[in-house]
Amino acid sequence: MSHPDQILGSLRLSIVQTIAKGGMGQVYRAIQHGVEGFGKTVALKTILEPYAADEEFVRMFIAEAKLVADLVHQNIVQVYHLGRAEGILYMVMEYVDGVNLRQILDRHAAQGRRLPVELAAFFASRVCRGLEHAHAQTDAEGIPLGIVHRDVSPRNLLTTRFGEVKICDFGVAKARSLAMTDDDRRVLGKYAYLSPEQARREPTDNRSDLFSLGLVLFEMLAGHRPFAAEVRSREAW
């Protein structure tokens, strides 16, 4: 699935370039083709072939697609389609033409500068809007889904060239209806941004995301993280 001219099934997706590659997965910029020369730029997220047989990872990948499918909000990266090609699962997502917050923070640090307070506050406020939308989701009977992102961190907060802020990667998110039975016995997310309950492997709710966002806001304002920790995680991307 790495050839730039490859067309994937009936969706007619051609891969343009690799955006990111992690230990278990890869993200591409791709074009989704239609009739009469129609083309739409999208992001294509895949599982690397060696991990396609990992049932737990595949289950998390599928759960992410199902979880975010109905999260239609300007501050959340959209998921358009979940498919399979050559035995490999892939997810077609909104393409964000921009950078993540980690890149912004690193660029400012390299120049010996901090983010302007106004920019940090704006960024955090838009993330709050996206999280509020996710946290408020209910099922058809009005019962809260209990969606918790659980990996609110600079790499998962994107901004477009036009200043739109978007939350991405719900890969370790948890919802009441999609939770795996052993989720709360594992540490998921990046250590430097974990809430206390995540670090203790206890059940999480929306307050966990707000705690993590508070740590991100602290870093934006102070120029460093409040706690010393390696930024490690189970993330694949």
Side-chain angles (χ1 to χ4, degrees), residues 19-224:
I19 299 174
K21 183 175 181 178
M24 294 183 182
Q26 195 152 328
V27 182
Y28 305 91
R29 180 164 66 92
I31 303 295
Q32 183 171 353
H33 301 279
V35 299
E36 301 297 335
F38 173 87
K40 179 179 178 61
T41 301
V42 296
L44 183 67
K45 186 175 182 179
T46 70
I47 300 175
L48 293 178
E49 191 168 358
Y51 298 96
D54 184 327
E55 293 183 4
E56 177 191 355
F57 189 72
V58 169
R59 182 166 48 182
M60 290 180 66
F61 189 87
I62 294 172
E64 176 185 1
K66 291 180 177 179
L67 192 64
V68 187
D70 291 327
L71 292 183
V72 181
H73 191 273
Q74 65 184 36
N75 298 120
I76 297 176
V77 173
Q78 302 289 289
V79 170
Y80 301 137
H81 181 77
L82 176 68
R84 192 185 302 270
E86 302 174 7
I88 304 296
L89 280 168
Y90 65 89
M91 199 186 305
V92 182
M93 309 173 68
E94 174 185 3
Y95 174 70
V96 178
D97 185 9
V99 296
N100 62 50
L101 179 58
R102 177 80 276 144
Q103 293 170 300
I104 295 173
L105 292 173
D106 288 349
R107 181 66 179 271
H108 278 74
Q111 297 177 350
R113 298 187 295 126
R114 296 181 185 174
L115 254 63
V117 173
E118 296 82 4
L119 179 58
F122 171 81
F123 209 103
S125 71
R126 284 351 185 226
V127 176
C128 282
R129 290 183 179 184
L131 289 176
E132 180 184 29
H133 179 76
H135 294 161
Q137 291 302 296
T138 63
D139 62 17
E141 298 178 353
I143 300 174
L145 289 176
I147 295 176
V148 187
H149 188 285
R150 298 202 297 178
D151 197 9
V152 176
S153 56
R155 291 190 186 279
N156 290 335
L157 305 178
L158 313 179
T159 181
T160 71
R161 294 188 297 115
F162 304 104
E164 298 173 305
V165 176
K166 295 179 180 288
I167 306 168
C168 73
D169 200 351
F170 277 74
V172 297
K174 178 182 178 181
R176 176 185 53 78
S177 59
L178 294 173
M180 293 185 290
T181 57
D182 57 356
D183 261 359
D184 293 321
R185 294 196 294 271
R186 296 194 173 105
V187 176
L188 300 174
K190 298 177 183 67
Y191 293 162
Y193 304 96
L194 293 181
S195 65
E197 57 271 23
Q198 281 179 281
R200 293 193 296 260
R201 305 181 186 184
E202 296 174 352
T204 56
D205 59 26
N206 58 354
R207 292 172 293 183
S208 183
D209 284 344
L210 297 181
F211 185 92
S212 297
L213 178 57
L215 298 181
V216 173
L217 179 58
F218 181 98
E219 184 174 357
M220 285 193 286
L221 295 173
H224 61 86

